[in-house]
Amino acid sequence: MGSVVSLFSAQKETITAVDHVNFDIGQGELVGYLGPNGAGKSTTIKMLTGILVPTSGRVLVDGIDPEKDRRAVARKIGVVFGQKTQLWWDLPVEESFDLLRAVYRIPGAEYKKRLNFFIELLDMKDFLSQQARKLSLGQRMRADLAASLLHRPPILFLDEPTIGLDILTRDIVRKFIKEINEREKVTILLTTHDIQDIEYLARRLILLDRGRVHYDGGIDDFIQRYAAEKVLSLQVDPPLQSSFFTQRGFEVLSESSDRNFEIRLGADETPAALIEALSASKIRIDEINMRKRDLGDTLKLMYTNQRNVEL
């Protein structure tokens, strides 16, 4: 009945997927483009590739407007979506590569040299003759990376390239991305939820939330700005409510139970005042640890809207 009613009186809501997003990326940069689910990351990439057309503003990829000349842009870019493939599903991997050679009109000698380079760097020898649908996720991702770069594009868009991969395959993929960026000066825009991807690969972060850019700058500057803050992990007895801490002016970052808490301390704060407050209330501390807040901690706070991190 609900389906029938919606045909005549459907409720509509307009959502601004990206809102005045503005950035420039220079040749050879490797930029981490981060944000929670629904922040607008994939929408941005789809506009950069010409799949979507912005309602206002202007997009240029190597000086070309994707809306006006999508074919020219396609020759300039490589794209990898972690949950989709550009391989032909029922063909062996090597035949998909050969079809892409024809599509991009890659000269035979250059294609062979390029393919051999990828086979060695991505360790693909054992599955070149397999159909794409029979590949494991890690094998498919390696093949997709090679497919996206066969025609030597100067720009590469990576959307969740390590999602669902095992530890060994993630390491191969990360090293390959770094090698391509450093050796061939390929400009890379990387979206991911894996903080280790960013820490290993990126030198610049663009943080997006609800369609707006909240930070655009160096990853080292970002970490240094927040590294001064500390996270205090506590295990107490008897159990407590988090309100015990907030009423005394301490910010609770997380609580895994009514005995385990993480408390934020400012750059100039020490745990002495908190320990004194617990002791005065006859609360025993069974375990206590203190560490500096890292990139993952900061992003977690932004994603869960626990704190405004706009800079």
Side-chain angles (χ1 to χ4, degrees), residues 55-76:
T55 53
S56 64
R58 192 181 186 196
V59 176
L60 291 177
V61 178
D62 201 15
I64 304 169
D65 187 336
E67 180 182 357
K68 295 179 179 178
D69 197 345
R70 188 176 173 186
R71 180 175 294 183
V73 167
R75 293 188 175 278
K76 295 279 188 178

Side-chain angles (χ1 to χ4, degrees), residues 198-214:
I198 298 300
E199 292 177 332
Y200 183 81
L201 294 168
R203 291 294 174 267
R204 173 183 167 193
L205 296 179
I206 299 177
L207 302 185
L208 198 70
D209 189 22
R210 300 176 186 176
R212 287 181 173 269
V213 173
H214 286 251

Side-chain angles (χ1 to χ4, degrees), residues 22 37 72 75 85 95 129 159 229 237 239 259 263 271 292:
N22 184 35
N37 290 328
R75 293 188 175 278
T85 184
E95 290 189 25
S129 59
D159 191 8
E229 295 186 348
D237 187 53
R259 295 184 59 231
I263 311 297
K292 288 187 175 181

Side-chain angles (χ1 to χ4, degrees), residues 57-101:
R58 192 181 186 196
V59 176
L60 291 177
V61 178
D62 201 15
I64 304 169
D65 187 336
E67 180 182 357
K68 295 179 179 178
D69 197 345
R70 188 176 173 186
R71 180 175 294 183
V73 167
R75 293 188 175 278
K76 295 279 188 178
I77 64 173
V79 183
V80 176
F81 290 98
Q83 301 185 56
K84 297 180 181 178
T85 184
Q86 58 192 302
L87 305 173
W88 279 264
W89 202 237
D90 291 313
L91 291 182
V93 172
E94 57 191 352
E95 290 189 25
S96 286
F97 289 161
D98 197 47
L99 279 172
L100 289 169
R101 178 196 61 78

